[in-house]
Amino acid sequence: GAVVSQHPSWVICKSGTSVKIECRSLDFQATTMFWYRQFPKQSLMLMATSNEGSKATYEQGVEKDKFLINHASLTLSTLTVTSAHPEDSSFYICSARSTQGVSETQYFGPGTRLLVL
Amino acid sequence: GENVEQHPSTLSVQEGDSAVIKCTYSDSASNYFPWYKQELGKRPQLIIDIRSNVGEKKDQRIAVTLNKTAKHFSLHITETQPEDSAVYFCAASSGAGNMLTFGGGTRLMVKP
């Protein structure tokens, strides 16, 4: 149980294009999903907290107009990197927190590696 | 907000030896402390967690200890094996929104 999927796993795009990443909880409902960014050999940095049916909460320094988050259902959250630039290249990982059982536990998706040329 | 410090950043041990990774946190309201293992290019996997109402938890070769007074917690891996080689992250949850703040990670290398 507690499986989280992400799609796509790899994205290579040209500078200026927008990229959409999906995060799904496959066997549980998640009222809250989290989006992280991870640079090589670094820790996970929380970008935003996504709550089903409401606006996402962004961490300081994260541009909400650049990283659009939508959490339309209890099993799906999307992150759209708008007008991507090379500095946006990174490993983006989502996590989901179950509505049942131990509420603090977060389960991570496999990540999406974004390369902006 | 919460701040989590993790040490060491790299740790090399011989197969069969023990490995200890330590973390400190700043927010006394934090009450949930998970540890994740991340292999290269893969997702972080929860390996063990502890809540503030207990001081120690063990799962086979892995144990975690928590000292709330000192605001630090540690991961102990005994009888290390090459497949334990990975990056380990500690984290703390401060309650509000239950978001996790991660430590900087420890790259563990187990030499056969």
Side-chain angles (χ1 to χ4, degrees):
Chain A
V3 177
V4 178
S5 71
Q6 251 179 273
H7 179 81
S9 55
W10 274 94
V11 181
I12 301 174
C13 69
K14 291 182 179 180
S15 185
T17 59
S18 294
V19 176
K20 188 177 193 177
I21 303 169
E22 292 186 350
C23 178
R24 292 181 185 273
S25 56
L26 298 185
D27 53 359
F28 66 100
Q29 293 184 328
T31 53
T32 304
M33 291 184 173
F34 302 88
W35 287 96
Y36 296 85
R37 186 171 177 175
Q38 186 177 35
F39 290 107
K41 298 186 179 181
Q42 293 189 23
S43 189
L44 295 101
M45 299 301 297
L46 180 65
M47 297 174 66
T49 302
S50 169
N51 295 298
E52 185 265 337
S54 64
K55 290 183 179 180
T57 303
Y58 290 82
E59 294 302 299
Q60 192 173 7
V62 178
E63 298 175 59
K64 62 179 181 180
D65 294 330
K66 180 167 183 63
F67 298 100
L68 301 178
I69 292 172
N70 183 278
H71 194 152
S73 76
L74 286 173
T75 60
L76 173 65
S77 176
T78 60
L79 168 68
T80 301
V81 184
T82 62
S83 187
H85 288 92
E87 57 265 29
D88 297 324
S89 299
S90 187
F91 191 47
Y92 292 87
I93 310 180
C94 71
S95 71
R97 193 174 71 209
S98 175
T99 58
Q100 298 183 2
V102 178
S103 62
E104 304 99 330
T105 303
Q106 290 185 28
Y107 301 95
F108 284 86
T112 297
R113 197 164 298 280
L114 171 63
L115 177 61
V116 185
L117 302 176
Chain B
E2 175 67 276
N3 182 50
V4 179
E5 300 282 341
Q6 185 171 345
H7 299 281
S9 56
T10 60
L11 178 60
S12 181
V13 300
Q14 207 66 38
E15 183 179 0
D17 289 349
S18 295
V20 180
I21 303 170
K22 299 181 179 181
C23 288
T24 60
Y25 61 98
S26 61
D27 190 345
S28 57
S30 289
N31 55 11
Y32 174 63
F33 308 92
W35 285 87
Y36 287 87
K37 175 184 180 182
Q38 187 180 28
E39 297 178 9
L40 188 63
K42 296 189 177 180
R43 78 183 81 196
Q45 297 271 18
L46 179 69
I47 56 171
I48 196 167
D49 56 15
I50 192 168
R51 285 171 182 79
S52 57
N53 57 344
V54 297
E56 184 175 358
K57 184 176 178 180
K58 191 174 181 180
D59 182 3
Q60 299 182 352
R61 297 186 296 109
I62 295 173
V64 57
T65 58
L66 171 64
N67 183 327
K68 281 207 71 181
T69 303
K71 288 190 279 190
H72 66 69
F73 55 112
S74 301
L75 177 71
H76 304 252
I77 306 174
T78 58
E79 300 172 30
T80 54
Q81 302 166 1
E83 50 266 38
D84 293 330
S85 297
V87 178
Y88 291 80
F89 292 100
C90 64
S93 174
S94 59
N98 290 126
M99 65 180 211
L100 292 175
T101 301
F102 284 85
T106 297
R107 187 171 301 275
L108 173 64
M109 293 169 284
V110 181
K111 293 184 256 186

